[in-house]
Amino acid sequence: KGKKMKTITELLGELIQVAYGCKRHDVFVDYSPHVSSVSVCIYFDKWSARKDADEDHCVYLNEENAAHKLKALIGYIKHLSKEGNK
């Protein structure tokens, strides 16, 4: 049976899980329903009021390639998690 692409809803759940599971860095996930977007801010090491996020990512969920962008972001955060657990 062919592996079907996960739904946006499933990917959003997975995004929250990997963000929560990433203990090496602080990953903020913000859903904005009025513009149908998710923004992800990553602070390497830990969050600090004294610095801006090291990386900002935004995915518009009504874009044609939104699922692929979410999958890539999930993979990237998993990679960051592993990186810190050496």
Side-chain angles (χ1 to χ4, degrees):
K1 148 179 156 177
K3 193 173 177 220
K4 81 170 186 67
M5 181 59 120
K6 288 181 178 174
T7 66
I8 295 292
T9 304
E10 290 170 325
L11 289 166
L12 288 173
E14 199 174 325
L15 179 62
I16 291 288
Q17 285 180 316
V18 297
Y20 179 73
C22 186
K23 302 305 182 198
R24 171 87 170 86
H25 308 289
D26 285 340
V27 181
F28 291 72
V29 180
D30 184 32
Y31 170 59
S32 301
H34 66 300
V35 289
S36 191
S37 74
V38 170
S39 65
V40 176
C41 298
I42 302 172
Y43 290 80
F44 294 140
D45 298 319
K46 294 290 169 205
W47 175 85
S48 165
R50 292 184 300 282
K51 68 172 187 167
D52 290 330
D54 293 293
E55 291 186 7
D56 288 300
H57 303 271
C58 185
V59 178
Y60 288 93
L61 303 176
N62 48 10
E63 279 181 344
E64 201 176 298
N65 59 349
H68 289 286
K69 286 184 174 181
L70 288 172
K71 273 183 74 166
L73 204 44
I74 289 163
Y76 177 60
I77 295 168
K78 283 180 178 175
H79 166 77
L80 288 178
S81 288
K82 284 191 191 117
E83 203 179 47
N85 296 335
K86 286 178 183 167

